[in-house]
């Protein structure tokens, strides 16, 4: 056993519906612009050639139901409701069928975003890290096994702020389907159990302020919630 100078980083984990063991978080990949109506609201074209990605640090993982402070360095903190894919088997250079077979399960997620800092990155052709890799910004609800959920399709995906509906779409609106995303991403990474993919957000993103309560859901999955308090 290695003797560390200080406590090693905590392993984050996500509950699994119907199981006592939790799903330990490895890497967090996020798909950009995967709903046409959201790409349009961001003033962007849909990328039809291939999906593309950004990442969040595993330490950004936060459980549904958390109460977290409004983050530093932003005046435009946005919610993004997303379907999360959890990898359950090693997958590398896989076709769509093999990619689908490697999916452990699905969950509701929130990709919380410092939109103003993301825009600075876009405007200056810089990375998005300050906008996207935000502490407590990868919120995960309990996962449901793929065998219990079935396939993403007509299920509704929605988000409310203080009870007011802000995002409302279906998983059929995903441009790149989950098996296509896993297959494509497996050409660049040796995906393995613990790896999570946030699959993009529908239209209707917007800002939240301290005191707001965000709730969301996807038919057939455990719902998600996040409460924001005053900045530290
Ligand atoms: Mn997103």
């Amino acid at each position: 056993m290695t003797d560390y100078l200080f406590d090693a980083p905590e392993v984050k984990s996500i509950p699994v519906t119907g199981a006592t063991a939790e799903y330990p978080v490895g890497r967090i990949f996020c798909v950009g612009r995967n709903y046409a109506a959201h790409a349009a609201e961001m003033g962007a074209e849909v990328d039809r050639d291939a999906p593309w990605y950004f990442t969040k640090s595993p330490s950004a993982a936060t459980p549904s139901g958390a109460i977290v402070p409004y983050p530093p360095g932003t005046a435009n903190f946005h919610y993004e409701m997303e379907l999360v894919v959890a990898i359950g088997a090693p997958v590398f250079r896989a076709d769509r069928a093999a990619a689908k077979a490697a999916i452990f399960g699905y969950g509701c997620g929130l990709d919380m975003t410092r939109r103003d800092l993301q825009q600075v990155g876009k405007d200056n052709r810089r990375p998005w890290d300050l906008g996207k890799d935000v502490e407590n910004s990868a919120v995960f609800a309990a996962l449901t096994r793929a065998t219990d959920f079935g396939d993403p399709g007509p299920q509704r995906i929605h988000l409310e702020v203080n009870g007011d509906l802000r995002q409302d779409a279906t998983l059929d609106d995903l441009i790149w389907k989950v098996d296509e995303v896993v297959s494509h991403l497996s050409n660049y990474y040796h995906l393995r159990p613990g790896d999570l993919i946030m699959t993009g957000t529908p239209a209707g993103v917007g800002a939240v302020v301290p005191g707001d309560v965000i709730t969301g859901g996807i038919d057939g999955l455990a719902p998600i919630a996040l409460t924001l308090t005053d900045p530290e």
Side-chain angles (χ1 to χ4, degrees), residues 4-5 11 23 37 43 50 52 79 83 105 127 133 137 208:
Y4 295 123
L5 283 168
V11 174
Y23 182 97
W52 53 274
Y79 55 81
L83 172 71
D133 195 2
S137 72
V208 283

Side-chain angles (χ1 to χ4, degrees), residues 30-31 54 80 82 111 113 132 198 200-201:
C30 307
V31 182
F54 56 92
E80 295 189 357
E82 312 209 356
D111 165 14
T113 301
K132 285 294 193 179
M198 307 188 85
T201 197

Side-chain angles (χ1 to χ4, degrees), residues 50-198:
W52 53 274
Y53 312 91
F54 56 92
T55 60
K56 290 176 184 261
S57 300
S59 60
T62 299
S64 174
I67 301 169
V68 303
Y70 190 91
T74 183
N76 195 20
F77 192 46
H78 275 210
Y79 55 81
E80 295 189 357
M81 177 69 201
E82 312 209 356
L83 172 71
V84 175
V85 174
I87 299 297
V91 52
F92 183 60
R93 292 183 181 146
D95 62 18
R96 288 180 68 170
K100 183 179 175 186
I103 295 175
F104 168 81
Y106 300 96
C108 290
L110 295 172
D111 165 14
M112 300 302 296
T113 301
R114 287 190 282 226
R115 191 73 71 200
D116 41 3
L117 298 189
Q118 183 194 23
Q119 191 62 46
V120 169
K122 289 180 181 180
D123 291 346
N124 293 282
R125 305 180 68 81
R126 294 175 189 161
W128 288 5
D129 299 55
L130 288 179
K132 285 294 193 179
D133 195 2
V134 181
E135 290 169 354
N136 298 312
S137 72
V139 186
F140 297 110
L143 300 173
T144 296
R145 291 176 187 275
T147 46
D148 295 331
F149 180 69
D151 294 329
Q155 297 91 345
R156 180 176 175 235
I157 177 172
H158 58 94
L159 178 142
E160 304 81 33
V161 178
N162 304 324
D164 294 334
L165 184 65
R166 301 290 184 86
Q167 292 187 282
D168 195 2
T170 75
L171 299 181
D172 277 330
D173 296 330
L174 282 164
I175 295 167
W176 299 103
K177 307 307 180 188
V178 295
D179 54 346
E180 289 178 297
V181 169
V182 174
S183 172
H184 180 265
L185 191 57
S186 81
N187 288 306
Y188 300 90
Y189 295 92
H190 293 77
L191 297 176
R192 57 181 182 259
D195 289 338
L196 298 158
I197 304 169
M198 307 188 85

